Amino acid sequence: MRPRILPTDVLLGTAPIALVLALWQGLVSFGFAPVTLLPPPGIVFGRLLQQLVTSTFQQEIVATLIRLFGGFLIAVVFGVGIGIAAAASPAINSVVRPIVRVLAPLPKVALYPALLLLLGFNHESKITLVAADALFPILLSTYFGASTVEQKLIWSAMAAGTPRREILFKVVLPAAMPSILTGCRIGLVISCIVVFLAEMITSTDGLGHVLVTAARTFQAVDMFVPLITISLLGLILNGLLQAVRSYLLRGFPEV
Amino acid sequence: MIEIDRVSQVFQTSARSDHLALSDISLSVEEGAFVSILGPSGCGKSTLLYIVGGFVNPTSGIAKMKGKTITGPGPDRGPVFQEFALFPWKSVLGNVMYGPRQQGVRAVDAEAQSRALIEMVGLKGYENFYPKELSGGMKQRVALARTLAYHPEVLLMDEPFGALDAHTRTRLQNDLLNIWERDRKTVIFVTHSVDEAVFLSDKVVMMSRSPGRIRQIVDIELPRPRRRTELLLDPRYQKFVVDIERMFDDDDEAGPGA
Ligand SMILES: Nc1ncnc2c1ncn2[C@@H]1O[C@H](COP(=O)(O)OP(=O)(O)OP(=O)(O)O)[C@@H](O)[C@H]1O
Ligand SMILES: [Mg+2]
């Protein structure tokens, strides 16, 4: 009863990507962009495969992944925790709501210079920035999901003998899971963008740093390699999250 | 078993005006009785049930269970909601096992009891299905089994068969009567349907349109066990149905607000 992935779905999913690659190749082949500035996809992917087996490039990927995961996981823990708490308690909500209103629209990247001074050039400052940016979509969708839980689910559990304080974990959290995971999905995309951005601005390693270094020395091919890498990472991570999602939401109508 | 003593319920509506949903309701339900509450939409039947369930505190008056004032929900009173309210993240078995597990029954025992209950409500083979994979009638059976699983002394049923087609409804009515005739639980059963109320109940409580009041209480003196096919031909049954319908007609003719 779980939807199966059909070959046609895969085809439909990859066709637009193939189109973009064809367009890219076309731009180069028909001379719209000079090969030195826009290298053809074949060369970029060839270079990527070369790089992937080198330990230096692997270390750059690992550095980026640590920051991405660190920040994202912190955002999930705080976003879900604060969101649920705010939905459960009007007192907490009255504190959280104005703070969220002020901080959510703030461009978090503006805090990055301050974070660098506070936390240094290593992982910590980047993890904090990623967490700060991914936090709000997760928090807001958790709050939304938890505050719209059907009253009768809660009543059913209470009648069965669940104490009030356990309702949060036994009913509200699982019932809010669809919204929470939607927030996580948005948070994950934001994490990918922000970790790369932070590494481009100031870093000594990571994929963003690789790109900036290549750009400074006009190495067009090497500039595209980290770009493709981060989008592949995003694709893989999104796929993993999707798998988690369809497992956790197996009982819910239409994921 | 249940004593409702001069209960009134006022709701604050978004228009900031007070809305009197229940006015001065007094009712007592004996142990083992099957009592139906019958009334037009919006007369406060659900609200009354929620008060007995302990989900809503009455604005004035008190409701008691076995002499003790009801202050909150408890496993001695098991609700079955019109909306089913099954946990979507749990399978049929998981839903039914929830109550016994909360009561501290060991997992193996809870599972065995729940499987037996699922079989009793006619859903053997559907243990691992999720609620979204069931029809409305099947969901209602699961909701009933989930509530029966923690052995409430009183069943509070809010139009449990309201959303079902006539055929499924009849079958579930028969099933419910069989279950009730076996363990004689106290049942408070909210319904719109006059035949349903007469067929199932010892007592029918008729409520009038807002503000909800008790209009009349009719004792249904029909022999048990009741068989639907026999009852439909029984003039006494027919008379109860017609009398009650007439009383509601009079109510309507008295104009709005009556
Ligand atoms: N939470 C609430 N806030 C405000 N008004 C409410 C609330 N719950 C119920 N009411 C009002 O109280 C009255 C009784 O509602 P209730 O749901 O008990 O009716 P009912 O008899 O169960 O109707 P139905 O047969 O349609 O289910 C209605 O007029 C409704 O508008
Ligand atoms: Mg109702």
Side-chain angles (χ1 to χ4, degrees), chain A residues 152 156 159-160 162 250-252, chain B residues 50 75 83 98 102-103 130 132:
Chain A
K152 265 137 213 169
S156 298
T162 309
R250 63 199 179 285
F252 286 85
Chain B
Y50 299 159
E83 307 88 340
Y98 184 83
Q102 290 300 292
Q103 299 300 308
Y130 282 89
K132 70 166 177 194

Side-chain angles (χ1 to χ4, degrees), chain A residues 26-48:
Chain A
L27 282 177
V28 185
S29 307
F30 294 105
F32 291 109
V35 180
T36 43
L37 296 184
L38 185 68
I43 294 184
V44 171
F45 279 96
R47 181 84 182 152
L48 175 66

